[in-house]
Amino acid sequence: MWSGGGRGGGRSGIDEDDKLNRTQTRVVLARSIRMAGEFRRHAAWALVLVTITVLCTLAGPVLVRHGIDAGIKAKDASALNITVVAYLVVVAIAYVIGRMQYVVLNKAGEGFLRLLRVKVFAQLQRQSMAFFDREKAGVLVARMTADIESMAELVQWGLMQFLSAFLLLFLAFFLLLSLSWQLTLITLIVFPFLIAASVKFQRDSNRAYLEVREKVGANLSALQEGITGVRVIQAYAREDEQIRRFEESNRALFRSHMYSVKVSTWYFGLIEFAGIASSALIVGVGGWLVHRGTVSLGTVVAFVLLLANLFDPVQQLSQLYNTLQSAAAALHKLFGILDAVPDVNESDSPVSLPATGDVEVRDISFTYASGSQPALSNVSVTLTAGTRLALVGPTGAGKSTLAKLMARLYDPQTGQVLFGGVDLRDSSLEDLRKRIVVIPQEGFLFDGSVRDNLLIARPDATEDMLLGALNNLGLRERFESLPEGLDTQVRERGSRLSAGERQLVALSRAALVDPAVLVLDEATSNLDPGTEMLIEAALEKLMAGRSVIVVAHRLSTVQRADKIAVVSDARITEIGSHDELIAMGGHYAALVNNWNKSQPQ
Ligand code: ADP
């Protein structure tokens, strides 16, 4: 979906900081040069090779001049032959060195991108839930694809062109000057116009480029919505409306592309015209100077041939400027990710957690984003080892948040969560994930076999341990009855398994870890009664002997809990056993009353 294709690569809604100011650009470039330190040898090599290619390119016209003046005009056949051979040798060297420089620079450039991709990915994997709340998955994917892609252009050919254009422009100018200052002056007449045109082009094309990217982003989100939302769209017969929206964004994309074509065509046309006009001027004025004996015929021809080496670099540099800018913008964003400090991180001297213990929540408060309403305020609760705590209450009250904090998916802003007397923030993350396991409503399945998916929870588990865990939950037969048993491929996101089977995988994963505490968000979706019963039975076996925190949606679950906490408006308002709370006649009693009315057990 996010196929970032070079210029105008796919992004969505993340272009706000596409233009960096000069200081930012400088900081970004300095940092990437530091990061590319290990490719320094490659870069030095490339510089040597580029210099040789540039010298070869410039040697061509000089040799032609020699051939004309010393060979043709002087009627010296051997001088002419030597020049022709020398020319051929120079071209051959340029060819070989040119290929070499291409490979060397690409090796350094692609190596840098590889390094960057791995660094960013590793950084993403270490981030906490809070980070993923803030950043949209699509945007992060775009960082790894489109942003890296916009640098690929630079490293694949941009850097090389940049170096060679710069050198060529510089050396060609001095070469021309040494051949004839008069003709150099004539050439310079068009330069002020050329530079003015290049500056304008650079601005216009940058605007066009940003616009194309923005429109590509909009077009992609229209496409994405149309595909992911197709069921809802068809259910309400909104296909025409969706097609119209897509057409609209598509037309906007077309228009922005056409604008960028317009910008390029006038500029390239102008450069070409300037080149031809200069050549004509040189031929005219040069001819006159030859006639007067000021310069040789060979010099005029060399001049005409060298002119291309003056005009091409100007055009290339103004084009490259934008590439460089967008690469700097992309790097800036990627560095932003690299600099994000994980909120849930491991303490420097982690304490090991006891095998079992109470989970104690001490006066915690938690807010998702600064400035928003607290999702929990001053909540305290204790879950005694081996007992079950059910969290009930209206939607948005903070139940899931409390459950997540008890498993340290987030850290509270104030207060503490302890397991066996150890603050979760002091424990090692590996220990923590072995003691406390969260079972999400929808377990994520990776492409691979059922076995691979189970082993994610514990890669070192033996086959016996795996089968033992499945046996314990009474699920071994269920999994073995799949077409290829545990080797059945689940495909991406487990699309070959039913929702119920995916849930069973999630439960088995937890069983494999054998944690002391289970945190689960009870599924609200309805499954067929057979699967439902199987899940219920497996869950019951999984919970046996463990501490359980469950965000409950069913009365049956609540009734089986030792303790029930009613969460309302970010606080625990009632807490006790089912009977105690019913006797209290408060919020819980009313809730149970409603439950009984709506879903008779
Ligand atoms: P419950 O589980 O009781 O339905 P939650 O704990 O999910 O409630 O949510 C509590 C409050 O926090 C709600 O106002 C909700 O909108 C907000 N909230 C939940 N998750 C996030 C999140 N990832 N980012 C920002 N706010 C959130």
Side-chain angles (χ1 to χ4, degrees):
M1 193 179 311
W2 295 97
S3 61
R7 290 217 131 191
R11 308 178 176 200
S12 163
I14 49 167
D15 289 337
E16 67 283 351
D17 52 353
D18 258 347
K19 277 206 81 158
L20 304 184
N21 60 34
R22 259 169 230 272
T23 327
Q24 281 173 316
T25 311
R26 219 171 296 139
V27 169
V28 162
L29 290 182
R31 183 167 169 184
S32 31
I33 288 170
R34 244 178 294 132
M35 208 173 134
E38 63 179 271
F39 306 108
R40 214 173 286 141
R41 257 198 18 232
H42 280 99
W45 241 117
L47 194 62
V48 172
L49 296 174
V50 167
T51 312
I52 297 176
T53 319
V54 165
L55 290 178
C56 287
T57 313
L58 294 176
V62 175
L63 284 168
V64 169
R65 170 177 179 255
H66 185 72
I68 292 174
D69 291 347
I72 300 173
K73 272 190 73 184
K75 296 199 169 43
D76 180 344
S78 71
L80 184 61
N81 288 341
I82 291 171
T83 315
V84 170
V85 172
Y87 197 178
L88 281 176
V89 170
V90 164
V91 170
I93 293 175
Y95 176 77
V96 174
I97 301 283
R99 298 308 97 188
M100 275 170 69
Q101 83 182 26
Y102 192 75
V103 173
V104 169
L105 258 173
N106 262 289
K107 217 174 192 172
E110 292 289 349
F112 175 71
L113 291 191
R114 182 176 56 91
L115 186 76
L116 195 62
R117 265 191 222 113
V118 171
K119 276 192 176 212
V120 174
F121 185 73
Q123 171 77 352
L124 288 180
Q125 293 289 295
R126 280 193 285 265
Q127 290 298 325
S128 66
M129 292 303 129
F131 175 85
F132 292 100
D133 288 341
R134 288 192 300 270
E135 306 279 342
K136 293 194 202 83
V139 173
L140 293 176
V141 171
R143 292 270 180 279
M144 289 290 273
T145 53
D147 282 334
I148 300 246
E149 192 64 37
S150 64
M151 269 180 284
E153 193 182 357
L154 186 71
V155 304
Q156 278 156 6
W157 56 264
L159 275 180
M160 189 171 66
Q161 258 204 349
F162 189 76
L163 281 178
S164 73
F166 208 74
L167 267 176
L168 206 56
L169 185 66
F170 206 65
L171 294 179
F173 177 74
F174 283 104
L175 184 59
L176 288 177
L177 208 56
S178 74
L179 289 178
S180 155
W181 65 265
Q182 298 94 331
L183 289 180
T184 307
L185 273 184
I186 301 286
T187 314
L188 287 184
I189 291 177
V190 294
F191 257 71
F193 300 105
L194 211 59
I195 287 169
S198 297
V199 170
K200 183 172 162 46
F201 165 74
Q202 189 267 312
R203 282 201 192 127
D204 288 357
S205 75
N206 197 33
R207 179 149 27 96
Y209 169 49
L210 290 183
E211 203 175 301
V212 166
R213 271 233 310 251
E214 191 191 312
K215 300 292 186 250
V216 167
N219 199 232
L220 267 179
S221 35
L223 175 68
Q224 191 187 3
E225 257 186 31
I227 291 174
T228 46
V230 73
R231 282 184 191 83
V232 178
I233 294 165
Q234 291 184 353
Y236 294 96
R238 306 299 294 170
E239 294 93 331
D240 289 346
E241 164 70 11
Q242 286 296 320
I243 294 168
R244 192 192 57 71
R245 277 185 50 192
F246 184 74
E247 252 176 13
E248 212 168 82
S249 75
N250 211 17
R251 195 167 306 125
L253 176 62
F254 171 78
R255 264 192 239 114
S256 62
H257 268 306
M258 289 320 290
Y259 173 63
S260 92
V261 167
K262 208 174 87 187
V263 169
S264 306
T265 41
W266 76 252
Y267 177 71
F268 294 133
L270 199 73
I271 296 273
E272 212 176 313
F273 176 73
I276 293 169
S278 297
S279 299
L281 260 176
I282 295 293
V283 171
V285 179
W288 181 67
L289 289 177
V290 171
H291 194 70
R292 284 189 33 169
T294 317
V295 296
S296 71
L297 177 61
T299 302
V300 176
V301 175
F303 241 87
V304 171
L305 292 176
L306 279 171
L307 275 184
N309 297 317
L310 214 53
F311 287 98
D312 291 353
V314 171
Q315 176 205 318
Q316 281 166 1
L317 284 175
S318 63
Q319 252 181 310
L320 277 172
Y321 185 74
N322 288 343
T323 313
L324 197 68
Q325 262 198 336
S326 74
L331 273 171
H332 183 66
K333 291 177 201 164
L334 288 163
F335 287 157
I337 294 183
L338 286 181
D339 291 342
V341 182
D343 323 56
V344 170
N345 49 17
E346 191 154 52
S347 116
D348 292 333
S349 46
V351 181
S352 55
L353 287 174
T356 143
D358 297 350
V359 179
E360 210 182 321
V361 174
R362 280 195 201 153
D363 199 24
I364 57 170
S365 294
F366 179 76
T367 310
Y368 277 102
S370 55
S372 64
Q373 290 287 331
L376 291 174
S377 50
N378 304 101
V379 172
S380 298
V381 61
T382 301
L383 172 68
T384 315
T387 64
R388 293 185 198 175
L389 170 70
L391 303 176
V392 297
T395 306
K399 305 180 294 292
S400 310
T401 307
L402 178 55
K404 283 174 193 159
L405 266 91
M406 288 172 92
R408 205 192 172 202
L409 294 185
Y410 296 88
D411 281 331
Q413 275 95 16
T414 60
Q416 280 180 299
V417 182
L418 304 106
F419 175 80
V422 180
D423 190 321
L424 295 187
R425 278 176 289 214
D426 297 333
S427 79
S428 79
L429 286 176
E430 202 187 334
D431 249 14
L432 175 66
R433 302 294 172 227
K434 274 189 197 147
R435 299 287 183 273
I436 306 179
V437 164
V438 183
I439 304 181
Q441 272 201 8
E442 286 260 336
F444 187 91
L445 267 68
F446 296 86
D447 191 9
S449 66
V450 172
R451 179 181 281 104
D452 299 337
N453 268 289
L454 293 172
L455 288 177
I456 277 172
R458 193 166 175 182
D460 60 345
T462 60
E463 187 72 6
D464 282 347
M465 286 160 81
L466 184 69
L467 295 178
L470 294 181
N471 270 331
N472 282 346
L473 298 191
L475 293 178
R476 184 170 166 183
E477 280 175 15
R478 183 70 179 73
F479 279 122
E480 283 177 347
S481 71
L482 288 170
E484 284 140 71
L486 288 175
D487 294 316
T488 307
Q489 293 293 315
V490 304
R491 299 245 181 92
E492 204 178 336
R493 284 180 175 250
S495 58
R496 263 180 73 179
L497 300 187
S498 69
E501 285 163 343
R502 289 202 289 271
Q503 196 61 31
L504 293 177
V505 170
L507 296 184
S508 312
R509 272 180 187 158
L512 202 54
V513 177
D514 192 16
V517 182
L518 276 179
V519 177
L520 53 110
D521 207 338
E522 196 173 36
T524 42
S525 55
N526 286 324
L527 299 167
D528 64 280
T531 316
E532 182 105 37
M533 269 171 60
L534 194 66
I535 292 178
E536 283 275 321
L539 191 56
E540 204 49 52
K541 286 182 187 133
L542 179 63
M543 292 194 292
R546 302 182 211 276
S547 315
V548 179
I549 301 143
V550 54
V551 176
H553 300 292
R554 295 198 196 101
L555 184 57
S556 55
T557 315
V558 178
Q559 280 171 333
R560 282 199 294 269
D562 300 293
K563 212 180 266 186
I564 299 152
V566 179
V567 184
S568 169
D569 276 344
R571 289 171 198 280
I572 292 182
T573 50
E574 290 170 26
I575 190 159
S577 69
H578 175 76
D579 294 336
E580 284 167 4
L581 293 185
I582 292 284
M584 249 172 74
H587 196 133
Y588 179 73
L591 202 70
V592 170
N593 211 358
N594 269 340
W595 248 325
N596 280 332
K597 268 191 244 157
S598 64
Q599 45 178 144
Q601 295 292 304

